Amino acid sequence: MKFKDGDRMDCKEIREMYKLMFAEYPDIVTVKDLQTMLGISRHAAYDLLGGARSAASGWETPTKSPKSM
């Protein structure tokens, strides 16, 4: 797919790209997986999961998150 400046992908195209980009990862990923997938730091990964943090029952155990958040 080649896009010109200002072009936008529709939802179907985004879903197809998503499936290709993260195909090798399971549906539920760890923070470590999230770091690798997005190329971000551990702190940034936890910041992205900030909303999930309040619902979590403690961070001592490994945290897993669905890919489709």
Side-chain angles (χ1 to χ4, degrees):
M1 263 179 228
K2 194 169 189 178
F3 296 98
K4 298 176 186 172
D5 289 338
D7 285 352
R8 300 185 76 114
M9 295 190 318
D10 63 26
C11 289
K12 184 179 176 182
E13 291 171 321
I14 292 171
R15 283 189 198 109
E16 289 175 22
M17 294 284 290
Y18 174 80
K19 288 177 187 177
L20 292 172
M21 290 175 60
F22 302 122
E24 71 273 9
Y25 292 97
D27 287 338
I28 297 178
V29 297
T30 64
V31 171
K32 190 73 169 168
D33 290 335
L34 185 61
Q35 286 178 253
T36 304
M37 291 167 75
L38 301 179
I40 59 176
S41 70
R42 183 181 56 135
H43 295 288
Y46 279 108
D47 285 346
L48 285 174
L49 296 172
R53 182 180 359 205
S54 60
S57 62
W59 289 100
E60 295 80 27
T61 58
T63 301
K64 295 187 177 186
S65 174
K67 277 194 316 193
S68 59
M69 266 184 97

